[in-house]
Amino acid sequence: MGEVAIDKDGKIMRRVIDMRSDTVTKPTEAMRAAMANAEVDDDVLGNDPTALRLETEMARIMGKEAALFVPSGTMGNLISILVHCDVRGSEIILGDKSHIHVYENGGIATIGGVHPRTLRNNKDGTMDLDSIEAAIRDPKGDLYYPLTKLICLENSHANTGGRCLSVEYTDRVGELAKKHDLKLHIDGARIFNAATALGVPVDRLVQAADSVSVCLSKGLGAPVGTVIVGSKSFIAKAKIMRKTLGGGMRQIGVLCAAALVALQDNVKNLETDHKNTKLLAEGLNKIEGLTVDITSVETNIIYVNVCKDSSNTATKLGKSLVEHGILVMPENTFRFRVVIHHQITTSDVLYTVSCLQQAITGVLSEHVA
Amino acid sequence: MRRVIDMRSDTVTKPTDTMRTAMANAEVDDDVLGNDPTALRLETEMARIMGKEAALFVPSGTMGNLISVLVHCDIRGSEVILGDNSHIHIYENGGISTLGGVHPKTVKNNEDGTMDLDSIEAAIRDPKGALVYPITRLICLENSHGNTGGRCLSVEYIDRVGDLAKKHGLKLHIDGARIFNAATALGVPVDRLVQAADSVSVCLSKGLGAPVGTVIVGSMSFITKAKILRKTLGGGMRQVGVICAAALVAVKENVKKLEDDHKNAKLLAVGLNNIQGLHVDIAAVETNIDLLFRGVILLYKVYVKICKDSSTNAAKLCKKLEEHGILVMQENDYNIFPYNYVKHLKTKVLQDEDRDPPSNNNKGCGIYSVMHSESCYWCIERACCVSP
């Protein structure tokens, strides 16, 4: 059952099971205490000490020289691309289903003047190596061609269902980049999920990359922020780009303190999230009228397909779930997405399965805890 | 540990205890997927205070101005008229152009922060020249004006620029990073002061003392577009209520304290100007001219010039001050400027040596003086010439 509580006015409040995204995670008590006590200073005029501590720690964890705290993943990617592509007429190679290409307002082009060259993302989040190589512009054609400067990967890959790119694949793309004198950027918003699922140290996973954008406000649960990591010279330029975009914040240690707690406390919880995700995926797949590609569930994201011959739609199901206090993200008429994070419990998962079962067949399932 | 008196800028303000409590207890939610309730509360309050339809919280003043300019100038080939000494033109990395593709047309900033109305009008591009001209879309003012020393633009001046803008079908944006300082100094309600503007960028992390953030205000349709641009630039933060809670405290508690800051600035200016070897344009500090549209009143930013024939210079002076825990901002070889923000400094008991001023026994040189006001103790040390 969804837990109930009484709020300060004596009204019964049902717990909301928010699985629209892992960005919805609210700060924990430990984070709130850290934020209240954070040592701060003006991070633009000098260094905010807590931001410095976070950036130093992130650089170390990711095995890169330096790091920079930014307000969002969108800015993390935008800065990275604009720094790697600081010459007019640049082009980048990225997946046609990548977050950068689909969900970042085309900012790299509209704001940054960078041209995107998209390649088909396979079901597993990769792009074929041959296709990548073929997409690199021949410098001999520079009278007509933009100049390829950068390849972007996304790990874990969101739109294909939180799929993980392996170390081997990442290394091979890295070699390809080096061979053609290109840089490699990884949109690692959920890189810790990937590293956990693959059982690989995160620094080894991103070794081939020149820069990585790592989100702290998703599964790790911090209220705000992303950290980009890279070489010292890359980060020096990134800092200026951040200011130009308007991301230069002052006593930022408040938010960085929460991010430090997220790093310390919540990376180890990701494995539980993945277990809960598998549990949910299997439970939903058993419901007649719904299908989930179980083999593609590797981390904390599930795409649920609604069978077209039933009278159900993703919107209808989404609405009936809301009545039970469960929030999911409808993608289109016959598909919705569910994302698990550390504030979703196993009993929430079981409750969700039973509610969906009820919604579809009107029958209480035996899964009720 | 000696207390540090940081007067490099009013951005150095650290969160107060009330703010820290508010941040720890803030009600939050995902501000991108929906609305963070505390952000919503701050934005509603700011819109109300500024007399505009809607508001949007953004990470910085730079982003506030960038978004505003880009939303008003969303058609390729746009031009914006702004002061040659404005913050947008000098200190924002030229972002409106390098990122936004907007062309700047600068007009000379007078010593009082204004631009001559005739010059503004002359700078507006004639649409008949559209084959060769960009199209003027926007005029930007800055109030108070940073680089001229925190000078305040009067209501009358702003209204007249607003009329000019309307006459030519242009928008008016005010970089109001320190608009509350201006309103306080002018004795004018802030919403009246910005009435003529289509948009205003208001900083909460400066004199008002919040740790982070600026709020832009404008019409509903303007703010709707601003929200998308904010996301595009990467300013879409999630549980942002944490910092909005502190900003709400700043707005509620610290606007009324600005008057003290201005008094302290005057005090500082007079004191420094009395030191041989230093010069402060007291007339600019004390001026309380209530002119029609050149009414420029007071500043809380004190520009100090070091006389060139003194044996010290700004760099040496700054270093010496630092040894005493006083931080100021060196402008160039012969100028420094200490901000007086004194907002949240708790009255602390100074060391005895700070409290008992040594005697002024060095002719032609600096003075030890200790002055205090309700909210701050500071000392100015013998700083300039040492007898050769």
Side-chain angles (χ1 to χ4, degrees), chain B residues 342-353:
Chain B
V342 298
K343 223 47 316 36
H344 313 296
L345 304 177
K346 290 186 226 170
T347 308
K348 279 189 193 160
V349 177
L350 286 187
Q351 307 294 329
D352 279 1
E353 62 153 324

Side-chain angles (χ1 to χ4, degrees), chain A residues 14-19 319-327 351 355:
Chain A
R14 180 177 302 224
R15 187 171 119 82
V16 171
I17 300 170
D18 194 346
M19 296 185 290
K319 279 213 182 91
S320 67
L321 282 174
V322 170
E323 289 163 23
H324 291 273
I326 301 170
L327 306 176
Y351 179 59
C355 289

